[in-house]
């Protein structure tokens, strides 16, 4: 099973929809977590996948694109509140139900991100097989960052790198899939469209519960020419070696 997470930047506006859909099509995911769905972009139509969306409280919607061959058992929104919302679907696999979550944490204040991370951790704790994917807007506690922008510093921009949200999720047992099986460069921002709010860093992650983390065989950032101009974030793709109900398994 191939999983993708992708922040498409303000609904893939300014003529970028075709480029974003081409990136998704080329990755051929079974499930894609997508963030910043401003303006209801027609992702389902242009990818041939089903789109499940969670509305935001004050930000932009997030969603999950699910391939037609997967059977969706349940779907909903993670209880929040979340500035950007958090969408989830439960799909059938040969190994049992798998819950997949699309998240986009608060971009500006670390304490709000930490609150949202606690809500995600509580949701994940109630499910055995769960994968969280998205733009966590958070630095990881394992990378030595020499310089970070104000929004990614502690204490309202006055302290060191703010890694509290990712550290909390790790303490709650969620595994950073890239750190476990990833190859290549891990940073996901900026691209050619990145602005002054970014320095080179990891903001986009695939996190898995212990029951499913060991089934991942690969993870990488798609940082080629096509993704460099489609959004301000590079997408992350991960391979899960669990056969789906149609009998197909990850390569």
């Amino acid at each position: 099973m191939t999983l993708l997470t992708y922040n498409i930047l303000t609904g893939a506006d300014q003529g970028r929809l075709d480029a974003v859909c081409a990136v998704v099509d080329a990755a051929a995911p079974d499930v894609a977590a997508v963030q910043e769905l401003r303006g209801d972009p027609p992702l389902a139509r242009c990818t041939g996948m089903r789109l499940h969306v969670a509305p935001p409280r004050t930000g932009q919607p997030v969603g999950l694109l699910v391939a037609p061959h997967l059977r969706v058992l349940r779907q909903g929104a993670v209880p929040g509140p979340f500035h950007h919302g958090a969408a989830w679907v439960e799909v059938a696999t040969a190994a049992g139900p798998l819950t997949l979550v699309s998240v986009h944490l608060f971009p500006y204040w670390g304490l709000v991100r930490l609150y949202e991370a606690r809500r995600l951790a509580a949701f994940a704790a109630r499910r055995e097989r769960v994968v969280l994917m998205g733009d966590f807007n958070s630095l990881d506690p394992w990378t030595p960052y020499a310089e970070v922008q104000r929004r990614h510093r502690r204490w309202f921009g006055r302290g060191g790198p703010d890694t509290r949200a990712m550290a909390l999720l790790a303490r709650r047992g969620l595994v950073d899939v890239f750190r476990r099986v990833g190859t290549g460069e891990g940073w996901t921002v900026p691209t050619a469209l990145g602005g002054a709010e970014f320095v080179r860093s990891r903001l986009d992650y695939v996190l898995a519960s212990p029951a499913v983390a060991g089934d991942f065989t690969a993870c990488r950032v798609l940082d080629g020419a096509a993704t460099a101009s489609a959004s301000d974030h590079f997408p992350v793709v991960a391979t899960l070696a669990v056969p789906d109900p149609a009998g197909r398994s990850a390569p």
Side-chain angles (χ1 to χ4, degrees):
M1 180 181 289
T2 300
L3 305 178
L4 180 80
T5 182
Y6 198 12
N7 182 328
I8 67 171
L9 181 60
T10 57
D13 60 359
Q14 299 181 344
R16 293 180 294 105
L17 180 63
D18 288 345
V20 164
C21 290
V23 168
V24 175
D25 287 343
D30 297 287
V31 179
V34 284
Q35 301 88 43
E36 295 203 12
L37 303 183
R38 178 181 296 175
D40 191 24
L43 296 177
R45 176 180 57 78
C46 73
T47 63
M49 304 173 77
R50 294 163 290 169
L51 179 61
H52 303 273
V53 176
R57 184 184 188 194
T58 50
Q60 300 187 57
V62 302
L64 289 144
L65 290 163
V66 182
H69 67 271
L70 285 178
R71 181 162 63 97
V72 175
L73 303 175
R74 296 186 297 166
Q75 60 179 297
V78 179
F82 288 88
H83 172 64
H84 286 304
W88 65 269
V89 297
E90 182 181 86
V91 300
T93 76
L98 176 66
T99 301
L100 302 135
V101 186
S102 177
V103 306
H104 187 185
L105 298 191
F106 191 72
Y108 304 117
W109 299 336
L111 286 176
V112 178
R113 284 195 294 272
L114 186 59
Y115 165 83
E116 292 179 339
R118 289 194 181 103
R119 301 300 297 171
L120 289 173
F123 178 84
R126 296 191 293 271
R127 287 153 178 83
E128 181 181 7
R129 296 171 54 79
V130 62
V131 180
L132 310 180
M133 303 181 285
D135 175 3
F136 288 74
N137 265 317
S138 303
L139 304 178
D140 71 79
W142 306 287
T143 301
Y145 288 99
E147 178 186 358
V148 296
Q149 299 295 71
R150 179 172 180 174
R151 66 166 63 185
H152 294 131
R153 290 187 177 276
R154 294 183 61 152
W155 315 125
F156 298 98
R158 295 191 296 271
D162 187 0
T163 64
R164 289 172 292 178
M166 302 310 297
L168 178 138
L169 292 168
R171 289 195 304 272
R172 299 290 180 89
L174 291 158
V175 177
D176 182 344
V177 172
F178 183 86
R179 188 165 179 253
R180 184 176 186 131
V181 297
T183 56
E185 295 282 354
W187 57 274
T188 62
V189 293
T191 70
L193 293 179
E197 73 270 28
F198 295 132
V199 296
R200 181 178 288 195
S201 53
R202 292 182 69 203
L203 298 182
D204 305 82
Y205 300 82
V206 177
L207 305 180
S209 62
V212 70
D215 295 329
F216 279 92
T217 60
C219 186
R220 64 190 180 96
V221 177
L222 301 180
D223 57 358
T227 57
S229 58
S231 175
D232 60 345
H233 286 245
F234 290 110
V236 181
V237 64
T239 304
L240 183 61
V242 176
D244 65 40
R248 291 174 291 191
S249 60

